[in-house]
Amino acid sequence: MKTNDVILQTTTKLIFFIIILFSIHIFFAGHYAPGGGFVGGLLTASGIVLLLLAYDIKTVSTALPINYTVMTAIGLLVALATAAGSIIFNVPFFTHAFDYFDLPLLGKQSLHTAMLFDTGVYLVVVGVTMTIIQSIGADD
Amino acid sequence: MMTNLLLFPIIIPFFFAMILMLFPKKIYAQRVGALLALGSTLIASVTLLYKVKTDGIQAITLGSWPAPFGISMVSDMLSILLVLSSTVIAIFVVWYSFSSIGKARESFFYYPGILFMLTGVNGAFTTGDIFNMFVFFEVLLMSSYLLIVLGGEKVQLRESIKYILVNVISSALFVITVAYLYSVVGTLNMADISVKIAQINQPGIITVIAVLFLLVFGLKGAIFPLFFWLPSSYAAPPIPVLALFGALLTKVGVYAIMRTYTLFFTLDQSFTHELLMILSILTIVAGCIGALAYFDVKKIIIYNIIIAVGVILFGASQMNEASLMGSVFYLIHDILIKGALFLLIGVIIAITGTSDLRKMGGLIRSYPMLGWTYLIAAFGLAGIPPLSGFVGKLLIVQGGFEAENLWGSIFILASSLVVLLSVMRIFIYAFWGEPVEITLLTKKHYRGLFTPALVLVGISVLYGVGSEWLVPYMNDAANVMINPSQYIQAVLGGS
């Protein structure tokens, strides 16, 4: 079956980048406001799913040659490594640390180890969601 | 380094599982990685055991939050003994898998699955937070879903639907029950819950929650009448997975019942513990009937799991020192011996190509060593002195008499005979009688299958013969259950 999806494909090209930018915004906003790695990851995954809907699995996997299982494993490793930092400092596991820094352009910001952990969560969420959707979707 | 020591048996398998996920197709590296992971977990567990023995209960609250608010992890003698025996079983199962599970499964996240499951099992044994226990239950269940369905045979697919359905329902009930408990006592920290329940003197609603917990953990631990899903589900996956499930998964449920019924719900024992006792005896009866009814070797041993669950919980329901110590003795004995028996019947099934007893016979001529090893394991399971099941059962029965539960204790003793009969049937049918035609295994294959089973039986014999040396450890474990105040003090500090 051949469908005419010019409108979908054209809008997707535009919308995809907005979704990705928004997901990054949500990811960083999660520090003090609603958001964070989990929602950010879901948004990114939904952006990629939109690509899958508009095009097909083959096109998307050429455009984004990512092995999502490996991505999940790396995300878990990032999260665990952040938490395991506390082993070196001999404080209870998952203890976090933060400080304020003056960054160029951004001004005074707090940098927090919890953000590294959240990066891991983000990668895991994208990896797992995409693995599930791809393995169901590829079942033709 | 040392503050976080009690987390190492959880973190190490988790870490290695992630690493192994990166290269699923390199089978040799997967095997080495899995052994490396389990070896270092074993070292960490032994170190921790030594530390708990010398310094008492270890506790840590994650994220440096103060105790009742953060998630506490607690390692007392009971939990570290279980962590250690789980790790030992995992090592032997992985060793056995090398020559039996097949390349297709090995290259599809089999070893990461086992390591993730061990993460969940060790975590559930170690956690001191009731909601966190739910999380670790989910971790081990997710991995068990992978292991039960991996391979995709028809029977596996059929049984995994049942298995997942039962466990999803019981997990939902688990969360609901935890929510009930939280709405009454306002805390999730297990030590704090114990304190709060004692303060409000366990009103009726807490007793209801106790029964709900029994329902939840009973579904996972397979007590009467909630064991219905277990026999057919466990029979579906290949032998190493069956050995892992049979030795470990129900024990996590049993541990959770023991923990909650000695730490939380101790003030209305005439109801809660009486109920637990009645259910455990019914569990034993149901298991005995099943163990004698089947001609399928897998089913016979699987029903023996259910008998053992009943015996352990009977000990837990008596709530005196002898019976609780017996329960711990028997719990660890059962982890070791069930692992060994499943591996042994795995060898028998590999040789005869069937799990139907009526199609076997005369194996003692071609495999004498296998036969005698099986006989020792069978005697150990039934509790013939000086093998490993004896001390535990003796103490449980002694505790039963001390608590003046004459009939219950007699049931335990009678069940030993049924257990002996059920496993001897396998010996008589498979090893005696007219030899049937079998395809001899290659020497290398046979050795790969038989050696892990043999060593595991050896360990269980040592466990039985050396039980005198283990008494101080078991005593510590039972002590924590009788006087939960040490546990509470270790977590909440002072006062």
Side-chain angles (χ1 to χ4, degrees), chain B residues 188-448:
Chain B
L188 290 170
N189 186 298
M190 281 156 68
D192 204 29
I193 292 175
S194 173
V195 174
K196 294 273 157 63
I197 288 181
Q199 275 170 8
I200 54 175
N201 207 11
Q202 193 165 348
I205 182 77
I206 295 283
T207 307
V208 174
I209 293 169
V211 176
L212 275 172
F213 266 120
L214 190 60
L215 202 71
V216 170
F217 297 135
L219 256 171
K220 312 220 188 252
I223 64 172
F224 180 87
L226 305 166
F227 66 89
F228 57 88
W229 57 274
L230 184 128
S232 54
S233 292
Y234 276 21
I239 289 291
V241 178
L242 168 62
L244 203 60
F245 282 21
L248 294 185
L249 290 195
T250 52
K251 305 302 181 293
V252 185
V254 170
Y255 162 81
I257 293 178
M258 285 171 81
R259 185 60 93 197
T260 48
Y261 271 62
T262 54
L263 191 60
F264 299 173
F265 312 115
T266 50
L267 297 171
D268 191 8
Q269 290 186 14
S270 60
F271 183 80
T272 49
H273 288 64
E274 196 76 16
L275 179 70
L276 183 61
M277 185 183 81
I278 294 168
L279 286 179
S280 64
I281 290 173
L282 288 173
T283 311
I284 295 173
V285 173
C288 286
I289 295 172
L292 291 181
Y294 285 92
F295 276 99
D296 183 321
V297 278
K298 283 191 198 173
K299 285 273 167 69
I300 294 173
I301 309 289
I302 288 172
Y303 273 100
N304 269 299
I305 302 176
I306 295 170
I307 302 177
V309 167
V311 172
I312 297 165
L313 287 179
F314 178 81
S317 71
Q318 300 305 307
M319 282 299 271
N320 55 40
E321 204 173 336
S323 73
L324 284 175
M325 198 164 128
S327 285
V328 184
F329 250 118
Y330 202 78
L331 188 54
I332 294 180
H333 144 77
D334 200 61
I335 291 180
L336 295 174
I337 202 77
K338 283 284 147 57
L341 272 174
F342 278 121
L343 296 187
L344 282 171
I345 61 162
V347 184
I348 298 175
I349 292 173
I351 293 169
T352 56
T354 171
S355 62
D356 190 341
L357 273 182
R358 284 165 294 196
K359 292 179 190 149
M360 299 177 183
L363 282 180
I364 200 82
R365 288 198 198 157
S366 25
Y367 295 100
M369 190 68 181
L370 176 65
W372 299 123
T373 314
Y374 175 82
L375 192 69
I376 291 173
F379 282 166
L381 180 71
I384 289 177
L387 298 170
S388 57
F390 175 68
V391 186
K393 224 171 236 178
L394 182 74
L395 284 168
I396 290 177
V397 171
Q398 186 195 332
F401 280 125
E402 276 172 21
E404 294 178 351
N405 283 313
L406 210 59
W407 279 106
S409 313
I410 290 172
F411 264 106
I412 303 272
L413 291 174
S415 79
S416 311
L417 290 178
V418 179
V419 169
L420 186 61
L421 181 61
S422 72
V423 282
M424 285 315 288
R425 269 174 75 222
I426 299 184
F427 184 74
I428 290 169
Y429 275 90
F431 291 98
W432 287 357
E434 282 299 300
V436 293
E437 217 170 290
I438 45 170
T439 43
L440 288 175
L441 301 175
T442 60
K443 243 198 173 121
K444 191 168 161 245
H445 187 196
Y446 173 69
R447 251 190 240 138

Side-chain angles (χ1 to χ4, degrees), chain A residues 84-101:
Chain A
S86 52
I87 294 177
I88 299 166
F89 295 105
N90 201 24
V91 285
F93 207 63
F94 281 125
T95 303
H96 55 157
F98 69 97
D99 205 353
Y100 291 93
F101 294 94

Side-chain angles (χ1 to χ4, degrees), chain A residues 69 76-77 90-93 95, chain B residues 1 3-4 7 11 61-64:
Chain A
T69 327
L76 282 173
L77 277 173
N90 201 24
V91 285
F93 207 63
T95 303
Chain B
M1 277 301 274
T3 340
N4 289 299
L7 296 173
I11 300 173
T61 304
L62 299 182
S64 300

Side-chain angles (χ1 to χ4, degrees), chain B residues 27-276:
Chain B
I27 292 174
Y28 188 70
Q30 291 273 318
R31 290 177 177 182
V32 173
L35 276 187
L36 210 62
L38 294 169
S40 28
T41 312
L42 186 71
I43 293 170
S45 319
V46 172
T47 322
L48 183 56
L49 177 72
Y50 177 73
K51 191 152 172 65
V52 170
K53 182 71 198 142
T54 48
D55 297 356
I57 301 171
Q58 301 289 308
I60 188 176
T61 304
L62 299 182
S64 300
W65 300 103
F69 305 111
I71 295 171
S72 295
M73 303 297 268
V74 189
S75 191
D76 62 352
M77 195 44 96
L78 174 63
S79 80
I80 181 58
L81 283 174
L82 289 169
V83 165
L84 183 62
S85 18
S86 311
T87 312
V88 168
I89 284 296
I91 291 176
F92 284 98
V93 166
V94 163
W95 183 7
Y96 183 89
S97 301
F98 292 162
S99 36
S100 77
I101 196 79
K103 291 216 159 56
R105 287 188 172 94
E106 281 183 299
S107 63
F108 214 88
F109 304 109
Y110 174 72
Y111 296 115
I114 287 186
L115 292 177
F116 277 128
M117 199 176 112
L118 191 67
T119 310
V121 170
N122 285 352
F125 286 145
T126 310
T127 185
D129 183 285
I130 194 75
F131 189 79
N132 194 238
M133 185 187 264
F134 164 75
V135 175
F136 276 119
F137 263 92
E138 284 304 296
V139 171
L140 75 92
L141 284 174
M142 297 274 174
S143 341
S144 73
Y145 299 156
L146 166 78
L147 291 175
I148 201 171
V149 83
L150 191 59
E153 292 160 26
K154 195 175 164 196
V155 54
Q156 281 185 298
L157 293 175
R158 188 187 67 220
E159 293 304 330
S160 62
I161 291 177
K162 232 193 286 175
Y163 180 76
I164 292 174
L165 207 62
V166 165
N167 278 303
V168 166
I169 290 170
S170 81
S171 295
L173 267 177
F174 194 171
V175 180
I176 293 169
T177 313
V178 169
Y180 281 149
L181 186 61
Y182 182 76
S183 70
V184 177
V185 296
T187 176
L188 290 170
N189 186 298
M190 281 156 68
D192 204 29
I193 292 175
S194 173
V195 174
K196 294 273 157 63
I197 288 181
Q199 275 170 8
I200 54 175
N201 207 11
Q202 193 165 348
I205 182 77
I206 295 283
T207 307
V208 174
I209 293 169
V211 176
L212 275 172
F213 266 120
L214 190 60
L215 202 71
V216 170
F217 297 135
L219 256 171
K220 312 220 188 252
I223 64 172
F224 180 87
L226 305 166
F227 66 89
F228 57 88
W229 57 274
L230 184 128
S232 54
S233 292
Y234 276 21
I239 289 291
V241 178
L242 168 62
L244 203 60
F245 282 21
L248 294 185
L249 290 195
T250 52
K251 305 302 181 293
V252 185
V254 170
Y255 162 81
I257 293 178
M258 285 171 81
R259 185 60 93 197
T260 48
Y261 271 62
T262 54
L263 191 60
F264 299 173
F265 312 115
T266 50
L267 297 171
D268 191 8
Q269 290 186 14
S270 60
F271 183 80
T272 49
H273 288 64
E274 196 76 16
L275 179 70
L276 183 61

